[in-house]
Structures are given as structure tokens and as C-alpha cells.
């Protein structure tokens, strides 16, 4: 049994399609998503449709809830705010309903999902280091917790230093709880422009961080054509 975990799609259809294709080649049995389906990119509707069709579970990201006015826009920088306004104007009622209905946390036997932190999921704070992770571990009910939000693929093991991961296989060794940042499909920020995701192999008890090429130029052109801030197109080429 294998689970693909994706997140921070950010309305980047080209990256999402590449990742879904790669997950198919990886032979995953199911896909789940840690949120931020929309925001920054130019294809919110198409990404919502694909994520709804392909992901068994999706939790809410701050951009998802900002696009439906459940999170105030003042938490975002100018370019992000412009993209949120642009996105909000393009959502139909069904897409708005779906984004509004996403839960902040999902817990099941094998793992938990959250966008930002289990400590205070609705506050959308950031976990950058082991100190930030401590309070989240206290609220994490399962051995494995998957999250996103920083767009940095990383593994945090309760009580150990952080490990940033690139194409890395990480063994699952109970009983220490693990927080796994799955990286970003649609806006990587670790200086690698390739789309990121994670595969959890339940039988082999390991997590694999994966990257896949996608048509960055096409995604950037869509952003430019949409009239979204140009910086949002440029950063895709740098992976930042
Ligand atoms: Zn994000």
C-alpha cells in the first residue's frame, strides 16, 4: 500500500498534471493533499477539479480559506493578496463551497494531515525548525504527520534536528513522531524549480521525497497572460 501526499499546488496546472502522472508511475494506491490548492497561479478552477477528482482527502490551506474570505487578506504580502483577489473573482459557487468546506485537520489510523501545524491549525503559523515543531508534536495524535505551508521539503523527528530532504528515502522508526513537510507542487521554494511531493510506503515503512520536471514556461506564461503579478511567474523558474 502506497499513499502519495501532495500540497501547495497553488493553481499551477502544469505542475499538478506532472505530479499526478509521476504518482501514477510510482504506483500509489491513493493520493491525499495538505492544502493550498489555489493562490499564486493562474488555473484555480482546473486545479480544484483535478484535486477533487484524484485526492481522497484534502485539508484547507491559508490561501484556500483566504480565497473564500475565511482568512483575512492582511496576513499576506502584496503579490499574494493580489492573487487571492484575482482567484476569488474567478471561483464559481461550487468551487467556493468546496474550498469553504475543507477541514483544517484530518486524522486517520496511519497518519494525520494539516496545512501548517497541529498546534493551532487555523492560525497558519510556520514550522521552520525543531522549536516550532515541539508544540505541534504535542497535538499530533498519530506517529506520522504530513504538512506543507513553508514549501520546503523536510523531515522533523520529535527530539531531533531538522533534515531537509531532496530525493531522499526516510525510514519510519517508531515510536518517535515524525512531521513530514511534503514540499510544494506548484511553487517550490528550495531553489529547485521541479515540482515536489512525497510517497509513503506503508509496507516498507518509508517515506520518499520526490521531484518531477514540469513545463515551468507554460505555467509562467499563464500567470503573465492572466495579469497576475510578474514576480509570481519569475519565481517559478528559480524555485523560490
Ligand atoms: Zn502555500
Amino acid at each position: 500500500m502506497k499513499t502519495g501526499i501532495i500540497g501547495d499546488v497553488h493553481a499551477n496546472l502544469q505542475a499538478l498534471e506532472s505530479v499526478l502522472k509521476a504518482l501514477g508511475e510510482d504506483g500509489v494506491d491513493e493520493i491525499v493533499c495538505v492544502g493550498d490548492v489555489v493562490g499564486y497561479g493562474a488555473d484555480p478552477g482546473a486545479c480544484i477539479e483535478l484535486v477533487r477528482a484524484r485526492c481522497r482527502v484534502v485539508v484547507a490551506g491559508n490561501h484556500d480559506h483566504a480565497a473564500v474570505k475565511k482568512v483575512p487578506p492582511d496576513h499576506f504580502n502584496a503579490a499574494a493578496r493580489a492573487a487571492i483577489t484575482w482567484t476569488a473573482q474567478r471561483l464559481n459557487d461550487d468551487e467556493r463551497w468546496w474550498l469553504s468546506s475543507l477541514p483544517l485537520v484530518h486524522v486517520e489510523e496511519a497518519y494525520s494531515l494539516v496545512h501548517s501545524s497541529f498546534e493551532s491549525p487555523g492560525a497558519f503559523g510556520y514550522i521552520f525548525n525543531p522549536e516550532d515543531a515541539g508544540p505541534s508534536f504535542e497535538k499530533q495524535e498519530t506517529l506520522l504527520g504530513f504538512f506543507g505551508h513553508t514549501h520546503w521539503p523536510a523531515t522533523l523527528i520529535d527530539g531531533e534536528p531538522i533534515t531537509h530532504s531532496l530525493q531522499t528515502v526516510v525510514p519510519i522508526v517508531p515510536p518517535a513522531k515524525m512531521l513530514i513537510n511534503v514540499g510544494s507542487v506548484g511553487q517550490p521554494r528550495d531553489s529547485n524549480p521541479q515540482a515536489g511531493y512525497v510517497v509513503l510506503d506503508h509496507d516498507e515503512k518509508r517515506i520518499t521525497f520526490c521531484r518531477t520536471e514540469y513545463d515551468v514556461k507554460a505555467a509562467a506564461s499563464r500567470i503573465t497572460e492572466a495579469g497576475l503579478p510578474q514576480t509570481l511567474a519569475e519565481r517559478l523558474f528559480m524555485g523560490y
Side-chain angles (χ1 to χ4, degrees), residues 96-163:
R96 238 188 307 276
W97 168 83
W98 183 75
L99 289 173
S100 306
S101 69
L102 295 175
L104 289 167
V105 178
H106 174 83
V107 183
E108 56 188 77
E109 202 182 329
Y111 52 78
S112 310
L113 307 173
V114 70
H115 185 65
S116 56
S117 159
F118 292 105
E119 183 205 6
S120 182
F124 294 108
Y126 290 87
I127 296 177
F128 284 113
N129 55 50
E131 290 71 45
D132 301 334
S136 185
F137 276 128
E138 282 177 31
K139 295 279 170 69
Q140 185 176 321
E141 297 171 34
T142 51
L143 180 73
L144 304 177
F146 293 95
F147 74 112
H149 201 35
T150 65
H151 302 204
W152 282 5
T155 307
L156 289 118
I157 300 173
D158 200 2
E160 288 185 24
I162 192 166
T163 314

Side-chain angles (χ1 to χ4, degrees), residues 8 10 35-36 40 62-63 115 149-151 189:
D8 292 289
H10 285 300
D36 271 2
Y40 297 130
N62 50 328
H63 287 256
H115 185 65
H149 201 35
T150 65
H151 302 204
R189 290 183 193 159

Side-chain angles (χ1 to χ4, degrees), residues 4-10 16 19 31-37 51 55 58-59 115 147-149 151 181-188 195-198:
I5 303 110
I6 66 171
D8 292 289
V9 174
H10 285 300
L16 178 60
V19 164
I31 304 171
V32 297
C33 176
V34 296
D36 271 2
V37 179
V51 167
C55 296
V58 184
V59 294
H115 185 65
F147 74 112
H149 201 35
H151 302 204
N181 191 312
V182 304
S184 171
V185 170
Q187 198 193 81
Y197 65 98
V198 154

Side-chain angles (χ1 to χ4, degrees), residues 179-201:
L179 259 172
I180 301 103
N181 191 312
V182 304
S184 171
V185 170
Q187 198 193 81
R189 290 183 193 159
D190 59 349
S191 305
N192 176 355
Q194 294 181 324
Y197 65 98
V198 154
V199 174
L200 162 63
D201 189 321

